[in-house]
Structure formats: structure tokens, C-alpha cells
């Protein structure tokens, strides 16, 4: 090498224990490891496992399963219904203030081009189940009750398994 050329000598031996490279320091979020050497953390559970879904996502899935169960029993007649999940009923504070019971679901018949709607309230259903009844079965019973009210039938005639998980 000529006497005027510049070159660098790395004194830390390449182990990363010395001073950071002054030419191109990477921001913290782009490094492969954090300062304690633990590395970037990934997901605790892969997305395809049941534990990775939130309670709201599981609840939505149970409502869908209930609708599919009814579709197997009633065929295409159920496809015209719309199933909605809502956190709590509208006007819940006023209802509690008056001393009324908290509804688990509501239904509205179809008018013109609008389909009939069955709305299931997530928080009241979860609170009512409280480990006494499987939440998925309580959801199905609530959906069956609302469908029976819309059709003007008994819940047992909608689904013969209605109420089998209810405590006596």
C-alpha cells in the first residue's frame, strides 16, 4: 500500500464487544438482537392455533358455527337471515336503571329488501355463562330462541337439541 492511502483496522475482533461502527450504525428496531442479546421476539402462538384468537373473535366464530348448524337443519331458509354480534345492547344503562333484565340477544324481522336480523350481545352472554354453561352452547340456544321468535315457532321445533346444556 502507498503511504497516503487510508485504511481501517477493527480492534474489537469482529465480536461486537467493542465500539459500534461509526460509519453505519443501525437503529435499534433494525438490529437482530437487542442490547441484552435476546433477539427479536416472535409470536407466542401461531395464528392457526385456537389460543391466538381474542375472545371477541372466538365469540364471532361461535355465532357463525351456530348459524351453520341451523343451516344444516333448515337449509337455504336460514341464508336469508343476517347474524350480528354487538358488545352490549343499546340503551343498557336506562334498562338497568329501570330494573329490567338484560337481554342476551334481539331480533328484527325483515322489511322489504332488508333481511331479518338476529343480534347477539357478547358481554351479557359471556356473563350469563360464567362457567355454568359452555359459551358456544349458550350462544346456540340464544340464536335458536331468536329464530323461533321470528318464525313464530317453539325453540324445540327449530332445533331438537335446544336447552340440553342449561342448568336445571
Amino acid at each position: 500500500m502507498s503511504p497516503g492511502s487510508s485504511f481501517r483496522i477493527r480492534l474489537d475482533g469482529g465480536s461486537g464487544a467493542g465500539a459500534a461502527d461509526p460509519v453505519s450504525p443501525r437503529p435499534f428496531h433494525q438490529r437482530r438482537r437487542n442490547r441484552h442479546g435476546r433477539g427479536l421476539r416472535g409470536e407466542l402462538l401461531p395464528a392457526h392455533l385456537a389460543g391466538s384468537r381474542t375472545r371477541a373473535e372466538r365469540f364471532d366464530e361461535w355465532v357463525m358455527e351456530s348459524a351453520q348448524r341451523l343451516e344444516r337443519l333448515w337449509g337455504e331458509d336460514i341464508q336469508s337471515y343476517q347474524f350480528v354480534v354487538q358488545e352490549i345492547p343499546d340503551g343498557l344503562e336506562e334498562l338497568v336503571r329501570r330494573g329490567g333484565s338484560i337481554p342476551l340477544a334481539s331480533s328484527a324481522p325483515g322489511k322489504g329488501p332488508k333481511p331479518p336480523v338476529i343480534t347477539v350481545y357478547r358481554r351479557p352472554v359471556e356473563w350469563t355463562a360464567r362457567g355454568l354453561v359452555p359459551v358456544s352452547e349458550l350462544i346456540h340456544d340464544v340464536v335458536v330462541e331468536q329464530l323461533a321468535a321470528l318464525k313464530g315457532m317453539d325453540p324445540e321445533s327449530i332445533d331438537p337439541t335446544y336447552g340440553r346444556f342449561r342448568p336445571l
Side-chain angles (χ1 to χ4, degrees):
M1 279 188 147
S2 63
S5 67
S6 64
F7 63 94
R8 283 189 205 165
I9 299 175
R10 188 172 184 142
L11 298 176
D12 64 355
S15 65
D21 187 8
V23 176
S24 62
R26 290 185 296 173
F28 180 77
H29 66 278
Q30 290 180 349
R31 294 183 207 150
R32 291 188 66 71
R33 295 191 174 270
N34 63 14
R35 67 185 184 143
H36 297 289
R38 293 187 183 108
L40 298 175
R41 304 275 170 107
E43 296 178 283
L44 292 178
L45 290 171
H48 68 279
L49 295 178
S52 68
R53 294 187 309 263
T54 65
R55 287 188 308 192
E57 290 171 341
R58 277 184 291 187
F59 194 91
D60 294 346
E61 191 173 293
W62 286 330
V63 171
M64 290 278 288
E65 287 175 5
S66 177
Q68 290 169 352
R69 230 164 111 178
L70 290 171
E71 185 180 3
R72 284 191 299 271
L73 290 171
W74 284 85
E76 293 182 12
D77 187 34
I78 299 299
Q79 291 178 354
S80 64
Y81 287 81
Q82 182 178 5
F83 297 89
V84 178
V85 175
Q86 195 173 335
E87 286 292 310
I88 59 172
D90 295 330
L92 181 64
E93 296 84 13
E94 182 63 31
L95 186 65
V96 170
R97 194 174 309 124
R98 286 186 283 149
S101 62
I102 299 172
L104 302 179
S106 66
S107 59
K111 295 178 182 169
K114 292 177 66 177
V117 177
I118 295 176
T119 305
V120 182
Y121 303 119
R122 183 171 77 88
R123 297 292 179 139
V125 169
E126 288 176 340
W127 187 81
T128 301
R130 282 179 293 178
L132 303 173
V133 180
V135 178
S136 61
E137 290 299 324
L138 182 59
I139 290 170
H140 184 68
D141 284 353
V142 167
V143 169
V144 167
E145 289 170 0
Q146 296 303 314
L147 184 62
L150 285 173
K151 288 185 167 284
M153 302 170 73
D154 291 330
E156 291 84 9
S157 59
I158 298 290
D159 186 1
T161 62
Y162 168 77
R164 68 178 170 173
F165 284 100
R166 295 274 176 109
L168 298 175

